[in-house]
C-alpha cells in the first residue's frame, strides 16, 4: 500500500460493469477501475510487532481473526451492491436484492425507505459477517458528497477500507473526495497510489468469465446461479504469457517497497506464492502498497477472492497504532495497546434514535465492555450503566453479553454526543475529535399544522444528535426555525424524513447561502455606556481595538485582556468578552456572523455603585458596533469545488455558463469523449444548476460539488447584498 501522511491503508478492486464501452485490451482493462481497501488511520500509525511468547494471551487468536473495514466510493459505483454480495456469500443473508431491484425489496444495507427509493446510501449501515473463520465488521458508507460526515465518522474507527471504483466511470470526483477522507486532508488532484493488480480478468465486459490469481497463478471461475461456487483451474493456455508478464510486474512493484522480496527478485530466486502473499501483506500493512482486485459484483464474479484479500492483506486491530489524549497530563499522547487486557477506552462515533431509545455505536480501542457495566463519559464526567449491548446488522440487532478491543458494537440507554470517549474510570483518556465541516446552506422551515409542533421539535432534536453537520437555529428577526446542512440534497432528505418518520408536513423557504463577514484592518474603540434612571444606574467603559486574525488561524474569534491593574474589576471581564461575542454573531453589513476577529481590551473604567455585568456587556456590544465600519468589513461567501463531466461537444457552452456564474476554471482533462472540468464557483450562483446542465448537455452532463472555502465577494456583489439586507430591514 501507499504511505500517506495520515496513515491510510488501501486495497483496490476493479469493478467491471456489463455496460458496453469501447473494446480494450486486457492490459488496458487493468487500468479501467478499481476497488481500493484502505487502512484508515489519522492516529499515529505504528505497526505493532507482537513477540511470540511461550504462551500467547487468550485473546490473541480472536484479535488476529478480526477485521474492521469500510466500503466507500463515488455515488452509484456499486458499493452497496458489493456489500449485498459479501453478506450473501458469508451466509448473513439468504437471497440477493438489488439497490433498484424490480422486487421492490432493495439492498439489505439500505434499510431506510428513502434509501431504497432513491437508490443511494444515506446513513452508514453497520454489519458483521464471518469468512473462513475470521470476523469482519463492515461499514457501508454513502457516496454522495452531501453525506461526507457519515463517511468521516465511519472511516474514523476502521482499520482498513475498500474503495470501489467503477471500470466504466473510472476515478470519479466523489472517489477522490472519499479517498481524501481516507487519507485525512492530504489533497491530491487524482488517486496516485503505489499499486498493482493482483488479478487479471479472463474476458472483458459481458464476456467476463473469471479471474487469474497472480499470487497463486491459478484461474478462478464462479459457477452456480449466484456465483457461489468458486472453481479453481489451470490458467488458459492463451493467457499464460500475459499472466506471467503481469505477475512479474506485481513482484517488481512490491519489491520496490519490501526489502525481503527485493532481495529475492534481484537475485532471480524463484518467488513462491506464500513469499509473495507475505510481502504484499507487509507492504500493505505498512501503507506502502495498494493491491488492486477485479470483478463484477452485479454479475456475481470476483467477490470471494476480494474477501480472501481482506483477510490476507488488511491489518487486524493490534497491527494498527492508536493513541488517546491523557486529560490528567495536559492532553499528553498515550499509545493504546489495542488489547482486551488494558483499561476500557471506547469512542462513540455514531448516534441513532431507534425504537428503544438512543442507539450509540462504539468502537472499542482497548479493554472489554460488558452488559451491566458502569462506564464513564470522559467528556461529560457522567457515570452510566449499560442496560443492553448489541451487534448491528443494518437495522437489525443481535444481543451480546460482552465485546473486546477492536470490535464495533452498539449500546442502548447511553446519553452522549457523537465523538464522546468512554472509559471504565481507571484512566481519563479522550480520543481525538472528528473533523466536522461547517454547514454551507440553510433554509427556513415550519410545520404547516400548529398541532405538530411537539413532533417537529422532537425530529429536529434527534437529527441534530445523529448528524453533527445538521444544525438548527432561530432567526432572531423573523422568529423562523432555520435548518443548515451540507447541500440541497442533505436538507431535502431531512425535510422528507420529518414527513415520513414523524408524520409532520412542513413548509420550507428558499434555500439561502451561509455568508460570513470579516474585517480587513485594525480599528480602535472607546465606548462609555452610562444610564441613570433613578436608583442604581448603569456604568461601563471599554477601550481597545479590533483586528483581523492572521491568515490560516485555527480560531475564528479571539479575546485578549491586555489591561494592567484593576481599572475594570476582573469579575466583569467575562461579561465584556460575552458582549463582544454576542455582537460578532451579527455583523452590520448583512447581519451574518463575523469571523477571523481578534478583540484586544486595553483600558476602561468602572463605577463603584453603577457598574454591573449587564452594563459592561452592553458597553461591549455598542463598542463593537461603533468601530466595525472603520475596520473595513467585507462579506465572505462559500466557494464550492465543482467537477463537471460533459461530452466534449458541449464543453464550450458549459464553460461559458460557468463564467456567467462567476466561476473560475482550474482544471480541464480529457476522458475519452468526455471533458472533465474542475471549477471554483460561488455557491450562491449554483442554485438550480443540475437543471441547467441537463438542458445544456441534452441530459448527458453530470457534476459533483463540495465545499472549498469562504472567500470575499466582489464589490458589486457586496453592494447588492447590503442593499437587499437594508431593504428587508426597512420593510419590517
Amino acid at each position: 500500500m501507499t504511505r500517506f501522511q495520515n496513515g491510510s491503508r488501501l486495497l483496490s478492486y476493479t469493478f467491471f460493469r456489463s455496460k458496453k464501452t469501447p473494446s480494450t485490451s486486457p492490459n488496458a482493462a487493468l487500468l479501467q477501475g478499481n476497488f481500493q481497501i484502505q487502512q484508515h488511520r489519522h492516529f499515529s500509525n505504528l505497526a505493532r510487532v507482537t513477540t511470540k511468547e511461550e504462551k500467547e494471551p487468550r485473546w490473541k487468536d480472536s484479535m488476529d481473526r478480526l477485521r474492521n473495514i469500510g466500503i466507500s466510493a463515488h455515488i452509484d459505483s456499486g458499493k452497496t451492491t458489493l456489500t449485498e454480495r459479501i453478506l450473501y456469500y458469508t451466509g448473513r443473508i439468504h437471497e440477493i436484492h438489488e439497490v433498484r431491484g424490480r422486487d421492490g425489496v432493495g439492498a439489505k444495507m439500505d434499510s431506510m425507505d428513502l434509501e431504497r427509493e432513491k437508490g443511494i446510501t444515506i446513513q452508514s449501515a453497520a454489519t458483521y459477517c464471518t469468512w473462513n473463520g475470521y470476523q469482519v465488521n463492515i461499514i457501508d458508507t454513502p457516496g454522495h458528497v452531501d453525506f461526507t460526515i457519515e463517511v468521516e465518522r465511519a472511516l474514523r474507527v476502521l482499520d482498513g477500507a475498500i474503495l470501489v471504483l467503477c471500470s466504466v466511470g473510472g476515478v470519479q470526483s466523489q472517489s477522490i473526495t472519499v479517498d481524501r477522507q481516507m487519507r485525512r486532508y492530504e489533497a491530491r488532484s487524482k488517486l496516485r497510489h503505489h499499486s498493482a493488480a493482483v488479478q487479471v480478468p479472463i474476458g472483458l465486459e459481458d464476456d467476463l468469465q473469471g479471474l487469474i490469481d497472480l499470487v497463486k497463478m491459478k484461474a478462478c471461475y464462479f459457477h452456480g446461479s449466484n456465483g457461489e461456487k468458486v472453481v479453481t483451474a489451470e490458467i488458459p493456455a492463451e493467457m499464460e504469457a500475459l499472466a506471467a508478464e503481469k505477475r512479474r510486474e506485481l513482484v517488481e512493484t512490491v519489491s520496490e517497497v519490501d526489502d525481503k522480496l527485493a532481495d529475492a527478485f534481484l537475485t532471480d530466486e524463484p518467488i513462491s506464492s506464500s513469499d509473495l502473499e507475505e510481502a504484499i501483506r507487509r507492504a500493505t500493512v505498512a501503507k506502502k502498497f495498494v493491491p488492486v482486485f477485479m470483478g463484477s459484483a452485479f454479475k456475481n464474479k470476483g467477490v470471494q477472492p476480494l474477501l480472501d484479500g481482506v483477510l490476507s492483506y488488511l491489518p487486524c486491530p493490534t497491527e494498527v497504532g492508536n493513541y488517546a489524549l491523557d486529560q490528567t497530563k495536559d492532553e499528553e499522547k498515550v499509545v493504546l495497546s489495542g488489547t482486551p487486557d488494558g483499561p476500557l477506552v471506547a469512542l462513540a462515533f455514531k448516534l441513532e434514535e431507534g425504537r428503544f431509545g438512543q442507539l450509540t455505536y462504539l468502537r472499542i480501542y482497548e479493554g472489554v465492555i460488558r452488559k451491566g457495566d458502569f462506564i464513564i463519559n470522559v467528556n461529560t464526567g457522567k457515570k452510566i450503566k449499560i442496560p443492553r449491548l448489541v451487534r448491528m446488522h443494518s437495522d437489525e440487532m443481535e444481543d451480546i453479553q460482552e465485546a473486546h478491543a477492536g470490535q464495533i458494537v452498539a449500546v442502548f440507554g447511553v446519553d452522549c454526543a457523537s465523538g464522546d470517549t468512554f472509559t471504565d474510570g481507571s484512566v481519563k483518556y479522550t480520543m481525538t475529535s472528528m473533523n466536522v465541516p461547517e454547514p454551507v446552506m440553510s433554509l427556513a422551515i415550519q410545520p404547516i399544522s400548529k398541532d405538530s409542533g411537539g413532533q417537529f421539535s422532537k425530529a429536529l432534536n434527534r437529527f441534530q444528535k445523529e448528524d453533527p453537520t445538521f444544525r438548527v437555529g432561530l432567526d432572531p428577526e423573523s422568529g423562523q426555525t432555520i435548518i443548515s446542512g451540507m447541500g440541497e440534497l442533505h436538507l431535502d432528505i431531512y425535510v422528507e424524513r420529518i414527513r415520513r418518520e414523524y408524520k409532520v408536513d412542513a413548509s420550507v423557504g428558499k434555500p439561502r447561502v451561509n455568508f460570513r463577514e470579516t474585517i480587513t484592518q485594525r480599528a480602535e474603540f472607546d465606548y462609555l455606556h452610562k444610564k441613570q434612571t433613578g436608583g442604581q444606574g448603569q456604568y461601563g467603559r471599554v477601550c481597545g481595538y479590533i483586528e483581523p486574525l492572521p491568515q490560516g488561524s485555527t480560531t475564528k474569534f479571539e479575546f485578549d485582556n491586555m489591561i494592567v491593574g484593576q481599572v475594570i474589576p476582573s469579575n466583569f471581564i467575562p461579561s465584556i468578552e460575552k458582549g463582544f461575542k454576542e455582537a460578532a454573531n451579527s455583523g452590520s453589513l448583512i447581519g451574518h456572523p463575523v469571523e477571523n476577529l481578534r478583540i484586544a481590551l486595553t483600558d476602561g473604567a468602572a463605577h463603584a455603585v453603577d457598574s454591573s455585568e449587564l452594563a459592561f456587556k452592553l458597553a461591549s456590544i455598542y463598542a463593537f458596533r461603533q468601530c466595525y465600519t472603520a475596520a473595513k468589513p467585507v462579506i465572505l461567501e462559500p466557494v464550492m469545488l465543482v467537477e463537471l463531466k460533459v461530452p466534449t461537444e458541449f464543453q464550450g457552452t458549459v464553460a461559458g455558463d460557468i463564467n456567467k456564474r462567476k466561476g473560475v476554471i482550474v482544471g480541464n482533462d480529457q476522458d475519452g469523449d468526455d471533458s472533465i472540468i474542475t471549477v471554483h464557483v460561488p455557491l450562491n450562483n449554483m442554485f438550480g444548476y443540475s437543471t441547467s446542465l441537463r438542458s445544456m448537455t441534452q441530459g448527458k452532463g453530470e457534476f459533483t460539488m463540495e465545499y472549498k472555502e469562504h472567500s470575499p465577494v466582489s464589490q458589486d456583489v457586496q453592494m447588492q447584498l447590503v442593499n437587499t439586507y437594508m431593504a428587508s430591514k426597512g420593510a419590517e
Side-chain angles (χ1 to χ4, degrees):
M1 293 217 150
T2 315
R3 174 169 288 280
F4 304 121
Q5 289 175 351
N6 69 344
S8 318
R9 287 189 190 83
L10 182 70
L11 186 99
S12 303
Y13 173 83
T14 302
F15 194 24
F16 287 93
R17 287 273 182 89
S18 59
K19 175 179 170 184
K20 282 291 183 184
T21 53
S23 293
T24 53
S25 67
N27 293 13
L30 293 178
L31 306 174
Q32 278 192 329
N34 44 16
F35 224 3
Q36 312 196 356
I37 297 182
Q38 196 159 2
Q39 146 76 31
H40 188 83
R41 268 291 161 282
H42 48 276
F43 305 119
S44 66
N45 213 8
L46 316 166
R48 209 174 270 103
V49 180
T50 307
T51 56
K52 279 276 181 187
E53 300 172 351
E54 285 184 15
K55 187 178 178 185
E56 290 183 331
R58 56 183 168 72
W59 45 260
K60 177 75 168 62
D61 187 59
S62 160
M63 294 287 278
D64 286 347
R65 292 180 170 272
L66 179 61
R67 299 289 182 271
N68 292 315
I69 68 166
I71 300 180
S72 295
H74 182 91
I75 189 169
D76 274 351
S77 281
K79 60 192 173 299
T80 301
T81 305
L82 172 72
T83 309
E84 194 81 354
R85 267 57 177 186
I86 289 175
L87 297 179
Y88 177 74
Y89 296 133
T90 56
R92 290 295 290 155
I93 58 175
H94 303 294
E95 55 183 334
I96 293 172
H97 298 286
E98 302 308 334
V99 175
R100 292 189 178 94
R102 292 179 184 175
D103 57 9
V105 178
K108 180 71 190 171
M109 295 294 280
D110 284 348
S111 60
M112 203 187 291
D113 287 342
L114 267 174
E115 295 181 328
R116 291 200 167 115
E117 235 177 63
K118 292 178 179 288
I120 61 173
T121 308
I122 296 165
Q123 290 182 300
S124 292
T127 192
Y128 72 96
C129 58
T130 54
W131 182 252
N132 293 345
Y134 285 70
Q135 181 183 322
V136 182
N137 292 318
I138 303 170
I139 301 283
D140 177 36
T141 59
H144 198 282
V145 75
D146 286 352
F147 307 112
T148 50
I149 188 62
E150 288 282 347
V151 184
E152 292 273 5
R153 284 193 293 193
L155 296 178
R156 173 77 168 78
V157 299
L158 300 176
D159 302 322
I162 302 172
L163 179 59
V164 186
L165 301 179
C166 171
S167 63
V168 174
V171 178
Q172 295 155 301
S173 54
Q174 266 311 102
S175 307
I176 294 166
T177 300
V178 167
D179 182 70
R180 189 181 305 127
Q181 288 172 316
M182 287 177 170
R183 295 180 284 116
R184 299 296 293 187
Y185 323 124
E186 183 191 356
R188 292 182 181 178
S189 58
K190 292 287 178 188
L191 308 182
R192 294 174 186 162
H193 301 310
H194 192 78
S195 59
V198 294
Q199 296 168 332
V200 171
I202 303 172
L204 295 175
E205 299 167 0
D206 282 344
D207 298 324
L208 179 64
Q209 296 164 24
L211 301 164
I212 295 172
D213 183 336
L214 296 177
V215 177
K216 297 186 171 74
M217 288 303 278
K218 293 285 183 183
C220 297
Y221 298 95
F222 307 92
H223 296 166
S225 57
N226 289 311
E228 64 274 15
K229 295 175 185 170
V230 182
V231 178
T232 305
E234 295 303 316
I235 297 171
E238 69 275 11
M239 296 195 71
E240 283 180 354
L242 174 67
E245 178 196 334
K246 289 298 170 188
R247 189 179 201 266
R248 183 174 176 81
E249 278 182 24
L250 172 63
V251 171
E252 189 175 342
T253 305
V254 178
S255 64
E256 288 175 11
V257 291
D258 185 82
D259 293 340
K260 191 173 178 182
L261 187 69
D263 292 341
F265 177 68
L266 293 172
T267 54
D268 282 332
E269 291 178 24
I271 294 168
S272 68
S273 58
S274 59
D275 289 341
L276 182 53
E277 186 173 308
E278 287 169 11
I280 293 173
R281 177 172 180 79
R282 284 193 300 270
T284 302
V285 170
K287 306 171 302 299
K288 295 177 180 178
F289 177 70
V290 180
V292 180
F293 286 70
M294 306 190 180
S296 169
F298 186 68
K299 294 292 183 183
N300 306 315
K301 289 180 171 66
V303 177
Q304 296 96 323
L306 175 68
L307 277 167
D308 293 337
V310 168
L311 309 186
S312 299
Y313 304 134
L314 284 183
C316 69
T318 53
E319 291 176 301
V320 178
N322 297 303
Y323 69 79
L325 302 176
D326 190 341
Q327 298 302 314
T328 63
K329 296 182 179 177
D330 196 24
E331 296 203 341
E332 182 183 306
K333 286 184 181 180
V334 180
V335 176
L336 300 176
S337 69
T339 68
D341 287 345
L344 173 69
V345 180
L347 175 74
F349 69 96
K350 182 180 168 118
L351 310 176
E352 279 180 15
E353 195 68 36
R355 293 186 296 274
F356 308 104
Q358 180 173 302
L359 184 67
T360 305
Y361 287 80
L362 293 179
R363 160 71 197 254
I364 307 167
Y365 288 100
E366 193 169 271
V368 177
I369 191 169
R370 296 179 181 87
K371 179 182 175 182
D373 275 358
F374 283 96
I375 57 174
I376 306 290
N377 183 332
V378 180
N379 298 70
T380 64
K382 287 183 181 176
K383 190 176 183 180
I384 303 157
K385 185 177 181 179
I386 299 171
R388 190 177 174 195
L389 190 65
V390 298
R391 195 154 45 183
M392 295 303 296
H393 176 47
S394 192
D395 62 341
E396 296 164 14
M397 57 194 71
E398 176 184 324
D399 282 275
I400 55 175
Q401 294 303 306
E402 70 171 37
H404 61 67
Q407 293 186 321
I408 294 172
V409 294
V411 294
F412 277 104
V414 174
D415 185 29
C416 66
S418 184
D420 285 357
T421 304
F422 293 93
T423 69
D424 56 11
S426 62
V427 291
K428 198 173 181 182
Y429 295 165
T430 59
M431 305 305 292
T432 50
S433 62
M434 289 180 293
N435 170 52
V436 179
E438 285 291 315
V440 297
M441 187 172 286
S442 304
L443 54 83
I445 182 170
Q446 61 184 47
I448 292 172
S449 167
K450 290 183 180 176
D451 299 334
S452 309
Q455 285 291 90
F456 180 68
S457 299
K458 191 177 175 184
L460 295 182
N461 288 335
R462 171 189 163 187
F463 297 153
Q464 278 189 99
K465 289 189 90 171
E466 284 181 15
D467 183 354
T469 60
F470 179 75
R471 314 279 174 88
V472 179
L474 275 179
D475 186 315
E477 290 163 6
S478 66
Q480 289 179 303
T481 302
I482 306 294
I483 57 173
S484 305
M486 300 311 297
E488 284 181 275
L489 180 59
H490 189 209
L491 296 177
D492 285 348
I493 292 289
Y494 279 116
V495 172
E496 189 64 15
R497 284 184 67 187
I498 289 169
R499 187 179 70 80
R500 293 194 183 207
E501 295 173 36
Y502 289 88
K503 307 293 185 280
V504 176
D505 283 319
S507 62
V508 295
K510 183 191 169 190
R512 68 181 197 191
V513 170
N514 289 349
F515 291 103
R516 294 287 183 266
E517 297 182 27
T518 192
I519 57 173
T520 57
Q521 66 180 40
R522 174 170 161 159
E524 311 281 336
F525 61 82
D526 182 348
Y527 190 86
L528 171 63
H529 175 67
K530 189 175 179 182
K531 196 173 182 182
Q532 195 70 46
T533 54
Q536 185 180 347
Q538 292 181 10
Y539 186 96
R541 183 187 173 205
V542 290
C543 306
Y545 58 88
I546 64 173
E547 64 182 3
L549 283 167
Q551 205 162 10
S553 178
T554 53
T555 58
K556 294 180 179 179
F557 178 91
E558 203 174 281
F559 178 80
D560 195 359
N561 177 19
M562 299 171 68
I563 292 177
V564 179
Q566 287 285 316
V567 289
I568 298 178
S570 57
N571 58 307
F572 293 137
I573 300 298
S575 301
I576 295 172
E577 181 177 356
K578 192 176 178 184
F580 277 112
K581 269 187 180 172
E582 194 174 300
N585 280 336
S586 178
S588 60
L589 289 178
I590 54 171
H592 282 255
V594 183
E595 290 184 349
N596 304 322
L597 176 71
R598 178 174 179 264
I599 312 281
L601 183 66
T602 59
D603 201 358
H607 189 277
V609 177
D610 291 346
S611 287
S612 64
E613 290 182 357
L614 176 62
F616 274 105
K617 181 183 170 184
L618 291 172
S620 304
I621 292 172
Y622 294 132
F624 181 80
R625 292 176 184 171
Q626 177 195 60
C627 68
Y628 188 61
T629 308
K632 294 280 172 58
V634 294
I635 298 170
L636 304 175
E637 66 179 346
V639 173
M640 310 303 284
L641 173 64
V642 179
E643 184 174 283
L644 297 135
K645 184 176 183 180
V646 298
T648 305
E649 63 202 89
F650 302 114
Q651 181 180 350
T653 309
V654 171
D657 181 71
I658 287 293
N659 287 332
K660 284 180 187 172
R661 295 173 187 269
K662 301 192 175 175
V664 178
I665 296 174
V666 294
N668 197 335
D669 294 317
Q670 208 64 27
D671 179 16
D673 294 334
D674 292 329
S675 290
I676 311 295
I677 308 169
T678 309
V679 295
H680 296 161
V681 196
L683 176 61
N684 202 35
N685 301 338
M686 289 298 287
F687 288 118
Y689 185 67
S690 53
T691 308
S692 301
L693 184 64
R694 276 196 296 270
S695 64
M696 283 187 289
T697 61
Q698 298 174 8
K700 297 172 187 172
E702 58 183 60
F703 78 102
T704 58
M705 181 166 70
E706 63 176 288
Y707 171 75
K708 183 180 179 290
E709 63 186 359
H710 269 77
S711 294
V713 301
S714 60
Q715 198 61 41
D716 60 322
V717 172
Q718 178 154 321
M719 287 295 295
Q720 187 181 339
L721 290 169
V722 170
N723 291 338
T724 305
Y725 175 69
M726 292 301 179
S728 66
K729 292 271 286 184
E732 292 167 10

